[in-house]
Amino acid sequence: MLIEFKTENYRSFGEERKLSMVAGRSRIHPDHVIESHGRDILTFSAIYGANASGKSNLIHAMRESRDKIVSNHRISRNSWNRMDDSNIGRTTGFEYVFSTESGVYAYGFELFVHSGIVNSEWLFDMTDGDKRVFERSVGRIESDLRDADYTNILDVLKGLVGEKSEELLLRTLVKMDNTDGSLFSTARETMSWFRECLVVTSAGEDVQVSFDPDRDTAIK
């Protein structure tokens, strides 16, 4: 379940913008709220605004970042915020906070869209505090996990993604499907959420959603 999405330096968004699905204090429609790992999450949200206010760009940000994660599709080369020419030298960022049956996670990455080079990437387990599954920056990969000896593996991973790589570390971890340990199992669970649970559609497309076993609704 999506809890939060953030993006920065993408199209019309210069500074960070956030979509939050965390429920407020109002309980007018309690059937629109689901509890997930101690958090009250909305099952539905609407975005309002004038024409050219950025509504479509938020959907573009989610679609392009998901496609980068799942299929390694390149983020549009000119999608940095062009209100200021200096933004071409800034990273463009995306972050998702989401829940699965086993926990709550935050995954995100920053890259230079003009070159496609990934500058940083992170995955945190937020189920009980903030446990760093991995954190990647230029020439560095670190993890707080201690259920296996990841010392040599992290050195290998640094060589695989490189310092000027367009490949996400998450995708590299998932490809190592015969490797055990929570570093890899959490990466696989994260990728499964993006592949199977995050569906991004455009206006005019139909999508079937299920909020609970007794209520299925077609949204058009």
Side-chain angles (χ1 to χ4, degrees):
M1 176 177 294
L2 177 66
I3 298 175
E4 185 178 282
F5 172 71
K6 293 189 290 189
T7 187
E8 181 177 356
N9 192 29
Y10 179 83
R11 296 198 179 202
S12 60
F13 305 127
E15 301 305 314
E16 180 181 279
R17 293 293 183 268
K18 177 172 70 173
L19 169 67
S20 176
M21 299 295 291
V22 177
R25 294 182 180 180
S26 174
R27 288 296 180 268
I28 297 176
H29 300 289
D31 56 328
H32 290 179
V33 177
I34 290 179
E35 191 276 334
S36 178
H37 300 282
R39 294 169 170 83
D40 289 334
I41 310 300
L42 298 172
T43 61
F44 178 86
S45 182
I47 303 172
Y48 297 92
N51 291 339
S53 62
K55 301 185 299 296
S56 296
N57 285 341
L58 182 68
I59 302 302
H60 283 304
M62 297 183 73
R63 185 193 298 274
E64 283 211 277
S65 57
R66 180 196 179 275
D67 288 348
K68 172 68 177 177
I69 295 164
V70 173
S71 305
N72 200 31
H73 288 176
R74 183 165 185 161
I75 305 292
S76 301
R77 187 184 295 270
N78 293 320
S79 59
W80 47 278
N81 177 259
R82 305 180 76 175
M83 296 296 291
D84 185 337
D85 289 342
S86 66
N87 285 335
I88 192 174
R90 291 176 54 204
T91 57
T92 294
F94 308 92
E95 183 182 62
Y96 292 86
V97 179
F98 61 94
S99 65
T100 66
E101 290 186 2
S102 61
V104 178
Y105 303 95
Y107 172 75
F109 61 94
E110 296 178 338
L111 77 168
F112 298 99
V113 294
H114 191 67
S115 66
I117 294 174
V118 177
N119 185 65
S120 62
E121 184 182 0
W122 58 93
L123 174 59
F124 282 79
D125 184 342
M126 302 174 63
T127 310
D128 185 16
D130 287 339
K131 182 183 295 183
R132 180 172 54 177
V133 179
F134 71 77
E135 188 172 13
R136 165 197 181 184
S137 59
V138 178
R140 180 178 65 91
I141 299 174
E142 295 185 82
S143 174
D144 292 338
L145 303 182
R146 295 291 182 266
D147 62 307
D149 184 5
Y150 294 122
T151 304
N152 293 332
I153 292 175
L154 294 179
D155 287 339
V156 171
L157 290 170
K158 282 191 289 186
L160 289 175
V161 296
E163 294 188 7
K164 294 184 178 181
S165 176
E166 298 182 29
E167 181 79 6
L168 293 172
L169 176 59
L170 180 67
R171 291 179 49 79
T172 302
L173 290 168
V174 171
K175 290 176 184 176
M176 302 169 71
D177 54 1
N178 293 322
T179 309
D180 296 326
S182 58
L183 174 65
F184 299 93
S185 61
T186 306
R188 288 191 282 268
E189 184 176 14
T190 298
M191 183 62 79
S192 293
W193 184 83
F194 281 103
R195 285 175 175 166
E196 301 168 13
C197 300
L198 182 63
V199 180
V200 184
T201 62
S202 299
E205 298 178 358
D206 293 352
V207 58
Q208 187 78 17
V209 296
S210 297
F211 299 115
D212 60 55
D214 300 318
R215 183 177 67 180
D216 292 340
T217 305
I219 295 179
K220 296 184 178 180

